[in-house]
Amino acid sequence: MKYRNFVLLFTILFLLVAAAAGQAGFTVGTATAAPGQRATGSIEVPAGVDAGTSIPVAVFQGAKPGPVLALVSGSHGTEYASIIAMEKLIQTLDPAQISGTVIVLPLVNIPSFQQKVPHVNPVDGKSMNRYYPGKQDGTQTERASWLITKQVVERCDYLIDYHGGDLDENLRPYSYWPKTGNAKQDATTHDMVLAFGLDHIIVWSDRPKDPNASRYLDNTANTRGKPAIVVEAGYSGTVQEGDVQALVNGTLSVMRYLKMLPGAAGQVKNPVWFGKVDTVVSEFDGIFYPLVQRGVRVEKDAKIGYVTDYFGKTIFEARAPAAGVILYICGVPSMKKGDNVANIGEVTTNP
Ligand SMILES: [Zn+2]
């Protein structure tokens, strides 16, 4: 063989091997999983106008082909039950059983988790579920959101975003069904929330339509044609076995619905749908006293809590603006003017 032909043959062989390897491995951040394997690593968010951060990622590439499902948790780093549920899944998912690929981000907001700061990323004071699709040259939250959009949302076919009651939120479990107006996609997300198994479901129909101003993670996926839902369980800094198990089992059931795991998916038998959510806010700074528990039904104008000044005098009575279910109520005495006292779901029979 002439040298020139040898070089040509070698080049062709090299390209074929590289192409095969490219098909075989699935890479997110520094984690590359071969078929039938799992890999862990991180999405490195480089320093910019503020410090960089490192977002842990696990990739499970199934032995058989199938869709790509993304599971994202801990954008609010003190919604612990959802973070612990992802840790359990990472330890129990078996790539040999999976058809397709699972990307897990168990803890997006490490600064919030480490410093025990609810609602926001303490590095830039921004919620890590309000700045999607993100900005490459923005603050840490925006840069992280940009990388998650590129490396996770754009690469997946389906997505589940996990939340729960934050340190100050006494929350009962529920999910969101994002209704986009696209009948096919809405049918899939409808099936996903029913398969997930949380029996209280909020119909979310007023989401941003512009993919460039999608704000929320699930909406970033949905506006890009990838069916996505949001699930919430856990409350007030606790890690209750029932909440963790509901999130783990719900995820496995959705994977069965998507034919990524063998077996039949579960389905909620008698879902309670909410067509509207009312947010009650405090009109004063002070000390909050709840009068109802999460999950209870209240009538319109029912007194659900009150705020006193720092000497015990009642200065504000919180009342339900409509009949509904207490989805969450403030679980701590700290109260600031304009902060949430409770979210109340108004039941609809026509979701
Ligand atoms: Zn959250």
Side-chain angles (χ1 to χ4, degrees):
M1 194 183 289
K2 281 185 183 165
Y3 178 69
R4 207 174 55 192
N5 287 350
F6 178 79
V7 169
L8 187 66
L9 182 67
F10 186 82
T11 306
I12 288 168
L13 275 173
F14 177 80
L15 287 174
L16 282 173
V17 169
Q23 277 174 358
F26 195 101
T27 301
V28 181
T30 63
T32 299
Q37 286 190 355
R38 140 197 140 142
T40 58
S42 58
I43 296 175
E44 292 299 319
V45 182
V49 293
D50 49 21
T53 185
S54 181
I55 300 171
V57 56
V59 179
F60 296 78
Q61 199 181 5
K64 289 154 275 182
V68 179
L69 171 66
L71 314 175
V72 181
S73 181
S75 53
H76 301 131
T78 44
E79 295 174 354
Y80 296 121
S82 56
I83 296 160
I84 301 305
M86 288 306 102
E87 301 302 329
K88 286 221 158 159
L89 274 169
I90 290 171
Q91 290 302 313
T92 52
L93 281 177
D94 177 7
Q97 297 290 318
I98 297 172
S99 301
T101 303
V102 184
I103 305 168
V104 189
L105 301 189
L107 181 48
V108 168
N109 192 345
I110 296 244
S112 154
F113 178 83
Q114 287 184 337
Q115 298 175 41
K116 309 179 192 81
V117 173
H119 307 297
V120 297
N121 177 353
V123 172
D124 57 14
K126 291 173 178 167
S127 166
M128 291 196 84
N129 193 27
R130 293 294 185 281
Y131 289 87
Y132 284 98
K135 266 164 73 178
Q136 199 174 6
D137 59 353
T139 62
Q140 188 185 89
T141 292
E142 294 166 316
R143 297 197 306 282
S145 301
W146 188 82
L147 284 170
I148 292 170
T149 300
K150 291 284 159 202
Q151 299 208 17
V152 178
V153 176
E154 289 182 0
R155 312 271 310 286
C156 76
D157 301 307
Y158 304 93
L159 184 143
I160 305 175
D161 188 17
Y162 298 77
H163 291 264
D166 215 320
L167 288 181
D168 57 337
E169 294 169 342
N170 188 11
L171 176 145
R172 70 101 60 226
Y174 55 86
S175 59
Y176 287 95
W177 175 37
K179 213 172 165 182
T180 62
N182 172 336
K184 186 165 175 277
Q185 191 164 322
D186 291 348
T188 303
T189 48
H190 183 265
D191 286 350
M192 285 169 73
V193 287
L194 290 182
F196 199 93
L198 301 178
D199 65 356
H200 282 43
I201 306 170
I202 299 169
V203 185
W204 224 355
S205 46
D206 58 344
R207 319 303 312 284
K209 302 276 187 224
D210 178 3
N212 296 313
S214 53
R215 297 188 66 208
Y216 308 85
L217 174 61
D218 69 298
N219 198 48
T220 303
N222 277 312
T223 53
R224 284 161 178 75
K226 292 127 191 285
I229 61 169
V230 179
V231 296
E232 307 233 7
Y235 60 94
S236 306
T238 61
V239 182
Q240 303 285 344
E241 184 57 26
D243 290 325
V244 172
Q245 216 49 54
L247 295 174
V248 169
N249 291 343
T251 306
L252 298 175
S253 180
V254 169
M255 288 179 69
R256 291 187 188 103
Y257 163 72
L258 296 173
K259 307 264 182 270
M260 298 179 73
L261 283 178
Q267 198 190 34
V268 176
K269 290 284 179 295
N270 297 301
V272 179
W273 298 94
F274 301 102
K276 185 167 180 254
V277 176
D278 301 303
T279 298
V280 181
V281 300
S282 176
E283 292 172 13
F284 294 93
D285 294 345
I287 299 174
F288 178 66
Y289 295 85
L291 291 171
V292 294
Q293 268 292 327
R294 66 180 181 276
V296 301
R297 288 194 182 234
V298 292
E299 294 305 319
K300 179 174 160 58
D301 294 326
K303 201 169 148 184
I304 59 173
Y306 59 97
V307 177
T308 72
D309 65 15
Y310 301 119
F311 308 103
K313 182 183 157 210
T314 300
I315 51 176
F316 175 67
E317 286 188 346
R319 290 182 181 274
V325 174
I326 301 288
L327 296 172
Y328 76 78
I329 185 156
C330 179
V332 294
S334 305
M335 186 51 72
K336 188 160 58 63
K337 183 183 175 183
D339 275 0
N340 285 5
V341 164
N343 264 8
I344 299 170
E346 294 185 35
V347 176
T348 177
T349 50
N350 183 27

